[in-house]
Amino acid sequence: MQNLFKFMEDGQNASDCRRCVWINGPVIVGAGPSGLATAACLREHGVPFVVLERAKCLASLWQNRTYDRLKLHLPKRFCELPSFPFPEDYPEYPTRRQFINYIESYADYFDIRPNFGQCVESAHYDETSGLWRVRTTAASATTATLSGPDVEYICRWLVVATGENAECVVPEIEGLRDFQGEVLHAADYKSGEKFSEKRVLVVGCGNSGMEVSLDLCNHNAHPSMIIRSSVHVLPREILGKSTFELAVFLVKWLPLWLVDKLLLILAWLVLGNLEKHGIKRPSTGPLELKNTKGKTPVLDIGALRKIRSGSIKVIPAGIKRIVGANQVEFMNGSRLEFDSVVLATGYKSNVPSWLKESEFFNNMGYPKSPFPNGWKGSKGLYAVGFTKRGLSGASSDAIRIAADIGSFWKQETKQQQQKKRVSSSVSYQRRCISQQF
């Protein structure tokens, strides 16, 4: 305890305007589904915690950086957070709004109240005290007046729950600043309504790129989508059954390579030959590619039909540069004019920007140990939501983390109770002796 008090004094002296707060439990960084799932599991183990969130809401990625038409790509039973099923009246693939309502209900049910507007500036482990120091700043001038001065949280356990999609990936494209039309990341795309009759270049052919292109078509825009590398496209359902659910069932009984073969045969029967439309499949199967590279296959919900009809143009080459006000030159030498560009180029982890640690996380901000061993580091450091396995992977991590911290917590609580009983017994014996004399 002397080390702790000295540690807190040193922290206060280093920054007089920063308030030090001791957390009698873990600090969870991030109030998305991963952080909330961990908090709920800790609640069930009776472990106190604090959740820090830089935004002003729960699940800020879903609330602020998703398009209106978004739905869960997998059936709802594979997207449930621990100990809280989706409402029975929700459809098989809940909408964006329904999922946000589910998240808010989840936080209410487990009484999770994050500290909003707290942006983690840095976090590092102090070897002297054996504790984590998590320094935060107010996320904006508005939140500064609400949450008070900057804070330094001191804790024994740190749970990194900022996830794989914390920051947008924006490629460097020569001449992009000179482009006169609108350029936006898919995170800022809401609807294709304002792009009606416009020529839109969609950069990226993952699930976001496909859905943005489809949405643009549905709003009478003219999208062209860049597909410069191979990609697996699977039907979301096969004969009325979820493709994901079918894969999960088959993997229980068959080797992975055989399941991949079966999925590709079924996809060919349902979707046909995609190469003639400019979509080439990787040589590695979809499940093996997901397990080894973390690359998720595209689940088609209607974009392929638009590609076949020519409503969505496929450009099989990357961008070389932007020429002039609205012309794009591609690597194959062709040039086309566009009114807008949507960058469906994905997201990345922001962990390296604030976590001062290199044993557990790599320089890209992901745990070095592959799934299922990437949830626990050393010195009380944990990671949740970095499995590249969506909400089910995050839930699995959360359950493990809470059980691990909970076991330490219960053991220490039991020891403290025993000490209190011993102390109480000694006091009682002393009173009895004093009464006899």
Side-chain angles (χ1 to χ4, degrees):
M1 289 299 291
Q2 291 180 349
N3 284 341
L4 172 59
F5 291 134
K6 182 178 185 301
F7 170 72
M8 294 181 71
E9 289 173 2
D10 291 343
Q12 289 175 331
N13 292 335
S15 178
D16 294 336
C17 64
R18 191 178 297 272
R19 183 165 55 95
C20 286
V21 178
W22 164 252
I23 303 301
N24 195 24
V27 166
I28 303 170
V29 182
S34 299
L36 296 178
T38 305
C41 293
L42 287 168
R43 181 77 74 199
E44 291 186 320
H45 283 274
V47 181
F49 57 82
V50 164
V51 180
L52 305 179
E53 170 56 48
R54 64 179 176 179
K56 301 178 184 178
C57 61
L58 300 169
S60 61
L61 175 66
W62 282 85
Q63 299 224 43
N64 302 329
R65 295 190 290 170
T66 50
Y67 35 92
D68 296 340
R69 65 161 287 122
L70 180 65
K71 294 183 179 180
L72 292 180
H73 292 133
L74 305 181
K76 60 183 179 181
R77 59 187 170 279
F78 295 106
C79 301
E80 292 175 347
L81 299 184
S83 306
F84 199 79
F86 279 96
E88 292 185 2
D89 61 344
Y90 272 30
E92 186 74 348
Y93 302 94
T95 65
R96 166 184 173 273
R97 184 67 255 174
Q98 287 172 326
F99 184 71
I100 291 171
N101 291 340
Y102 169 78
I103 288 293
E104 291 174 341
S105 298
Y106 190 81
D108 288 339
Y109 182 81
F110 289 101
D111 192 28
I112 303 170
R113 300 288 180 262
N115 292 353
F116 292 116
Q118 289 288 302
C119 183
V120 175
E121 185 181 73
S122 68
H124 76 274
Y125 184 76
D126 186 272
E127 296 287 352
T128 302
S129 62
L131 300 169
W132 284 94
R133 300 177 65 169
V134 183
R135 298 168 67 91
T136 68
T137 58
S140 68
T142 303
T143 54
T145 60
L146 296 174
S147 58
D150 298 340
V151 180
E152 181 170 53
Y153 296 89
I154 303 168
C155 57
R156 292 174 55 192
W157 300 290
L158 176 63
V159 180
V160 179
T162 48
E164 304 157 344
N165 303 317
E167 303 290 346
C168 299
V169 173
V170 179
E172 293 186 6
I173 301 174
E174 182 184 346
L176 186 60
R177 291 185 179 182
D178 299 325
F179 186 76
Q180 296 300 303
E182 183 176 8
V183 179
L184 70 160
H185 193 275
D188 300 313
Y189 178 93
K190 297 301 178 185
S191 167
E193 185 175 1
K194 69 176 182 178
F195 297 99
S196 179
E197 299 302 328
K198 291 186 177 181
R199 302 161 298 178
V200 184
L201 177 63
V202 179
V203 183
C205 60
N207 280 298
S208 294
M210 289 281 189
E211 285 201 42
V212 166
S213 298
L214 176 60
D215 189 59
L216 287 166
C217 272
N218 292 339
H219 286 90
N220 299 315
H222 307 290
S224 297
M225 180 170 52
I226 292 178
I227 305 181
R228 63 176 184 174
S229 57
S230 58
V231 59
H232 279 298
V233 182
L234 304 175
R236 185 169 69 172
E237 293 185 344
I238 297 175
L239 299 176
K241 295 293 183 181
S242 162
T243 302
F244 179 81
E245 185 176 5
L246 175 63
V248 170
F249 172 77
L250 292 175
V251 164
K252 293 179 180 179
W253 305 99
L254 301 172
L256 191 67
W257 67 268
L258 183 54
V259 176
D260 272 338
K261 291 288 186 184
L262 292 173
L263 288 178
L264 292 177
I265 291 172
L266 291 171
W268 184 82
L269 291 173
V270 175
L271 303 177
N273 180 13
L274 301 182
E275 284 205 27
K276 63 182 181 180
H277 300 293
I279 303 174
K280 297 181 180 180
R281 291 195 180 278
S283 57
T284 306
L287 297 185
E288 184 181 350
L289 196 62
K290 176 68 174 174
N291 285 346
T292 57
K293 303 294 184 181
K295 192 172 182 180
T296 303
V298 173
L299 296 178
D300 178 56
I301 57 171
L304 285 180
R305 179 167 50 85
K306 298 292 186 179
I307 290 174
R308 291 192 193 96
S309 69
S311 298
I312 299 176
K313 308 291 184 184
V314 171
I315 300 176
I319 298 176
K320 183 177 182 179
R321 58 177 177 165
I322 306 294
V323 182
N326 62 353
Q327 195 173 78
V328 179
E329 181 180 350
F330 298 94
M331 291 296 185
N332 60 7
S334 63
R335 290 189 179 190
L336 295 171
E337 293 184 349
F338 295 96
D339 302 303
S340 303
V341 176
V342 178
L343 301 172
T345 44
Y347 301 86
K348 63 180 179 180
S349 167
N350 69 355
V351 172
S353 68
W354 59 270
L355 182 62
K356 312 307 177 185
E357 189 274 345
S358 59
E359 293 180 7
F360 184 39
F361 282 88
N362 61 28
N363 59 3
M364 298 297 292
Y366 296 92
K368 293 180 179 179
S369 299
F371 179 84
N373 302 313
W375 60 277
K376 183 179 180 180
S378 61
K379 304 172 183 177
L381 180 62
Y382 299 88
V384 56
F386 293 88
T387 63
K388 298 186 183 294
R389 283 166 172 77
L391 294 167
S392 61
S395 295
S396 176
D397 284 344
I399 293 170
R400 289 190 179 100
I401 291 169
D404 195 58
I405 296 176
S407 64
F408 285 106
W409 182 264
K410 290 175 182 177
Q411 183 178 0
E412 291 188 352
T413 302
K414 185 177 180 180
Q415 290 174 351
Q416 291 173 0
Q417 291 174 346
Q418 289 175 344
K419 288 180 180 179
K420 288 181 180 179
R421 285 196 294 267
V422 171
S423 177
S424 177
S425 176
V426 171
S427 299
Y428 175 75
Q429 291 175 4
R430 287 176 178 172
R431 287 197 301 271
C432 291
I433 292 172
S434 63
Q435 289 174 1
Q436 289 178 2
F437 292 93

